[in-house]
Amino acid sequence: MFWLVENKEQFQEFLGRGFNEAFVEIIPNNPWQHPSQNSICAFYIRHIEDTKGFILPVSHTETGSLFEDEIYLYLKRLKKIYVRDKKEFLHYTTLKQLIDITLTLPPYILPITTAHKFLYERYPNLLTINQLVPITKHYEVCEQVYDDLEHRINSALNPFYNDITTLVFNAIERNGIKINKDEFNKHFPETQEDFVYTQYNFKTLTTRPSNRFGGINFAALPHDSGVRKAFIPRNDVFVEIDISAYHPTLAATLVDYDFGDTDVHSSFAEMYKTDYKTAKELTFKQLYGGVFEQYKDLEFFKLTSEYIRTNWEKYETEGKLICPISNHVFEKDKLENMNPQKLFNYVLQNMETSVNIKILYRILKLLKNKNTKLVLYTYDAFLFDVDTQERDILNEIKQVFDKLKLHIKVKHGDTYDF
């Protein structure tokens, strides 16, 4: 059977091949547009036991077209669908049996042909540019992607990332953030759109996500340049919830130390016999750089030092360390220039992300079918676009943090420039 399936008769023949598992790559109409706003040019489907893949076009200038719904119904019947990026794939079509085969890798960079590059450079603003790229070139790229990733298909799957993390970040990305176009165009490439969209990458060294799209680094928006005035609520008000003393709190959980109900930095100030600001600085220096000699006998740091030592021994002897909550594995042969303190910092960052994923998952369930939206997450801060008619929702959200014994601070404003 030929690799191009472009009419009803060919599709029926394709359906009769009888495979249950496939690798699927979506070819979007535009390579630069956010996937939540994009549409489908074609599907590439490679049955795992087959010798080649197939292109099923939905909208392309050189081919006939199949109905997207018919392809969706076919995919829905498959037992397993392996994808390059599940979070991205979910923006186009929601299927339960998706398996992301690059969860433990850096983001896979799609190859492009000379034809792709030429047309992308010639028509940078054409929203349907991939409809002009020769269909043979799309097929060439997709076959290369499969060849590059085939060895990952039977790799061990981490459900925390495949089943929860991908869904959480996909849901936040879909919400978008409303902008004041006049303010936005002062700081970023000009747009006529009313919303911008985030794009989280959790496939990093520690799984702590970066977040950038369209020339905007959402994880590092400066506080003093006025740039945050560009982001405004679609509803009534922005509300940001920040977790206080997050890393010391997480470290205390790891080493089984209890601060009780008191403010964490106040507790440290009392231990150090110094003021609050100095205590805060001392604590972070020691969490990330190692315990100072004069504080090594404090119970918190005794426990932390012992935790760091035992983790390092396990990492050295077993060649790996499994993180709490996420079960992410730090493998010795994949990390460079490691030392006990650095490993502890990696575990702390992974735990931060893992706890946040649990928080985000619970909050997104609370917000289902609500006007209030969670529009941005940045490490220890959660930004909500709040409909003030939904009077009880903020209290319900705060309870999520309370149940985890996390101390929070709340800010609000009519722009993101708090």
Side-chain angles (χ1 to χ4, degrees), residues 170-404:
N170 174 271
I172 302 173
E173 289 178 5
R174 285 173 180 268
N175 287 335
I177 309 176
K178 191 174 182 181
I179 58 171
N180 176 321
K181 282 180 279 193
D182 291 336
E183 288 292 333
F184 184 90
N185 292 337
K186 292 177 185 177
H187 304 279
F188 301 108
E190 188 169 337
T191 183
Q192 295 305 312
E193 302 297 327
D194 293 320
F195 287 82
V196 292
Y197 294 86
T198 57
Q199 191 167 62
Y200 295 88
N201 168 31
F202 62 88
K203 298 173 182 178
T204 60
L205 193 59
T206 67
T207 73
R208 196 185 205 202
S210 58
N211 180 15
R212 61 175 71 229
F213 187 79
I216 307 171
N217 184 354
F218 291 97
L221 293 171
H223 287 270
D224 54 359
S225 65
V227 65
R228 293 184 172 222
K229 292 179 181 178
F231 304 97
I232 59 175
R234 76 197 77 188
N235 291 305
D236 301 309
V237 65
F238 272 154
V239 175
E240 185 176 68
I241 295 178
D242 292 287
I243 303 175
S244 302
Y246 200 9
H247 278 198
T249 302
L250 293 174
T253 301
L254 286 172
V255 305
D256 198 23
Y257 182 88
D258 187 5
F259 284 104
D261 295 327
T262 59
D263 179 272
V264 172
H265 292 305
S266 294
S267 295
F268 277 117
E270 188 174 331
M271 295 182 206
Y272 303 142
K273 303 194 184 314
T274 187
D275 62 87
Y276 188 95
K277 182 180 178 182
T278 303
K280 190 174 180 179
E281 293 171 356
L282 285 170
T283 301
F284 281 104
K285 285 179 181 178
Q286 291 177 92
L287 275 182
Y288 300 115
V291 179
F292 298 164
E293 182 67 23
Q294 64 266 43
Y295 301 124
K296 68 179 183 179
D297 291 327
L298 293 176
E299 184 66 16
F300 174 85
F301 289 117
K302 283 169 67 176
L303 292 169
T304 302
S305 297
E306 180 61 16
Y307 180 85
I308 291 171
R309 184 190 66 78
T310 56
N311 263 5
W312 181 252
E313 284 184 0
K314 185 180 292 187
Y315 176 78
E316 286 286 282
T317 56
E318 298 179 10
K320 64 181 181 180
L321 186 69
I322 301 175
C323 297
I325 301 176
S326 69
N327 287 321
H328 179 73
V329 182
F330 288 121
E331 299 179 69
K332 188 176 180 181
D333 61 357
K334 294 182 180 179
L335 299 174
E336 298 179 354
N337 303 317
M338 294 300 290
N339 59 57
Q341 186 66 42
K342 189 175 181 181
L343 180 63
F344 175 66
N345 293 340
Y346 280 16
V347 171
L348 207 54
Q349 287 192 22
N350 178 269
M351 189 173 182
E352 171 201 82
T353 304
S354 301
V355 173
N356 285 343
I357 294 300
K358 292 174 68 176
I359 291 170
L360 292 165
Y361 186 75
R362 293 172 188 175
I363 288 173
L364 288 166
K365 288 180 72 175
L366 288 174
L367 294 178
K368 188 175 181 179
N369 300 322
K370 300 286 187 182
N371 290 328
T372 296
K373 305 294 182 186
L374 172 57
V375 295
L376 187 64
Y377 146 69
T378 309
Y379 309 140
D380 60 356
F382 303 74
L383 182 66
F384 298 90
D385 186 333
V386 177
D387 179 349
T388 54
Q389 295 300 309
E390 297 171 343
R391 299 180 185 277
D392 298 327
I393 195 63
L394 280 178
N395 286 331
E396 292 179 35
I397 290 170
K398 290 174 185 177
Q399 288 173 19
V400 173
F401 297 92
D402 291 341
K403 287 178 181 178
L404 293 170

Side-chain angles (χ1 to χ4, degrees), residues 24-59:
V24 180
E25 177 74 16
I26 288 175
I27 303 166
N29 274 315
N30 188 287
W32 307 294
Q33 193 174 22
H34 194 278
S36 69
Q37 305 302 299
N38 218 329
S39 54
I40 298 174
C41 172
F43 289 85
Y44 168 85
I45 302 176
R46 172 73 176 258
H47 298 115
I48 301 308
E49 297 177 6
D50 213 338
T51 56
K52 67 175 183 286
F54 296 84
I55 291 282
L56 284 66
V58 173
S59 181

